[in-house]
């Protein structure tokens, strides 16, 4: 069964600093990879996803993630964070041909001034 | 387009009761999935419906059930509620199934079992 590991439960960072949230998944078979963000008392919003092709994917709000098949990783990065990026971030994997998302335990990003 | 809507947003029930949660997908979306979110277990897949048929089921007891109607709206039911069923229940819809189609999430229904 698929599993996703997010090693950092919480990442504190100062505003305008760079950040990396780490994500590793268990299987090397063909998968789709996702990053979702959850603000307090809200549902999940898709940040970005990797389906195929270029291993670097970007979101409209400055986040990017790189698919690394050999290391089974899909780390999320942002060169300069804002206070408004404070939220919980979930990495998820989906086996191709299925519609089930398997989520990591989440990383709480805390941005302070 | 309106997003995924879930009703009610909050529910308080007592042990032994049953509850029904409702989800209206984005217009035109045919796949609806349900997830349970708790502080201890995180986000866990419950089941997925497509064309009124359950296509996939997570590792939950039979007390958890669901259905999908011809207009793609979905309901999930939990019978004989237990304290551990307290959670945020999230519904997600996607246009199709497979192919990495994006799942769009609703705001959730927060269920508290006393």
């Amino acid at each position: 069964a698929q599993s996703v590991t997010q090693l950092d439960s919480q990442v504190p960072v100062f505003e305008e600093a760079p950040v990396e949230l780490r994500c590793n998944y268990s299987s090397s078979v063909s998968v789709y990879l996702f990053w979702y963000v959850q603000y307090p008392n809200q549902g999940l919003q898709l940040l970005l996803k990797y389906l195929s092709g270029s291993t670097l994917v970007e979101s409209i709000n400055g986040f990017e993630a790189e698919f690394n098949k050999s290391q089974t990783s899909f780390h999320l990065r942002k060169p300069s964070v804002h206070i408004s990026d404070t939220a919980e971030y979930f990495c998820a994997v989906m086996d191709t041909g299925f519609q089930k998302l398997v989520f990591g335990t989440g990383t709480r990003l805390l941005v302070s001034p | 387009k309106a997003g995924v809507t879930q009703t009610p947003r909050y529910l308080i029930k007592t042990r032994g009761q049953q509850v029904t949660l409702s989800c209206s997908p984005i217009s035109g979306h045919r796949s609806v999935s349900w997830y349970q979110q708790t502080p201890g277990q995180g986000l866990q897949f419950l089941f997925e419906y497509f064309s009124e048929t359950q296509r996939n089921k997570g590792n939950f007891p039979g007390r958890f059930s669901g259905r999908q109607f011809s207009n793609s709206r979905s309901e999930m039911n939990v019978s004989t509620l237990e304290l551990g069923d307290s959670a945020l229940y999230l519904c997600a819809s996607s246009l199709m199934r497979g192919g990495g189609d994006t799942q769009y999430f609703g705001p959730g229904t927060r269920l508290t079992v006393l």
Side-chain angles (χ1 to χ4, degrees):
Chain A
Q2 284 281 7
S3 67
V4 177
T5 302
Q6 292 182 249
L7 289 169
D8 306 303
S9 59
Q10 193 164 288
V11 172
V13 65
F14 289 109
E15 196 174 18
E16 297 184 9
V19 70
E20 179 179 78
L21 307 183
R22 296 178 291 170
C23 171
N24 289 86
Y25 61 98
S26 61
S27 174
S28 60
V29 299
S30 186
V31 295
Y32 304 124
L33 294 158
F34 303 79
W35 276 99
Y36 280 87
V37 60
Q38 186 176 35
Y39 298 98
N41 299 316
Q42 293 188 28
L44 301 168
Q45 299 174 30
L46 178 72
L47 257 184
L48 44 77
K49 66 180 181 182
Y50 170 79
L51 302 183
S52 64
S54 173
T55 58
L56 185 66
V57 289
E58 299 176 350
S59 72
I60 57 172
N61 54 358
F63 283 95
E64 64 179 30
E66 186 156 20
F67 170 60
N68 187 318
K69 188 174 181 179
S70 62
Q71 296 186 6
T72 59
S73 68
F74 191 55
H75 301 331
L76 181 70
R77 294 188 291 262
K78 189 171 186 180
S80 176
V81 295
H82 302 287
I83 296 284
S84 59
D85 293 324
T86 295
E88 187 140 24
Y89 293 78
F90 292 92
C91 180
V93 64
M94 179 190 290
D95 284 334
T96 60
F98 292 88
Q99 199 61 7
K100 168 187 170 182
L101 286 167
V102 175
F103 287 92
T105 50
T107 297
R108 189 173 302 274
L109 177 63
L110 297 168
V111 182
S112 53
Chain B
K1 259 188 192 179
V4 178
T5 57
Q6 293 186 245
T7 55
R9 290 291 311 277
Y10 301 91
L11 262 179
I12 300 176
K13 292 285 187 179
T14 56
R15 277 181 301 174
Q17 288 186 308
Q18 76 165 16
V19 67
T20 299
L21 313 181
S22 181
C23 171
S24 293
I26 292 171
S27 177
H29 284 196
R30 296 174 62 192
S31 173
V32 174
S33 300
W34 289 88
Y35 295 84
Q36 181 196 63
Q37 185 177 24
T38 61
Q41 299 298 316
L43 280 153
Q44 293 186 288
F45 172 80
L46 278 156
F47 26 65
E48 182 225 347
Y49 287 87
F50 182 83
S51 292
E52 302 177 64
T53 302
Q54 187 180 90
R55 303 293 177 151
N56 207 347
K57 190 177 192 306
N59 189 25
F60 279 83
R63 299 185 297 107
F64 291 82
S65 63
R67 58 178 175 168
Q68 186 181 36
F69 302 96
S70 58
N71 61 358
S72 294
R73 192 176 69 83
S74 177
E75 289 181 346
M76 69 162 280
N77 184 277
V78 187
S79 63
T80 319
L81 283 166
E82 300 177 359
L83 295 179
D85 297 333
S86 293
L88 181 67
Y89 290 88
L90 293 163
C91 164
S93 76
S94 57
L95 195 59
M96 296 296 288
R97 55 189 315 269
D101 208 22
T102 297
Q103 293 189 17
Y104 295 88
F105 284 79
T109 294
R110 184 164 296 281
L111 172 65
T112 302
V113 182
L114 302 176

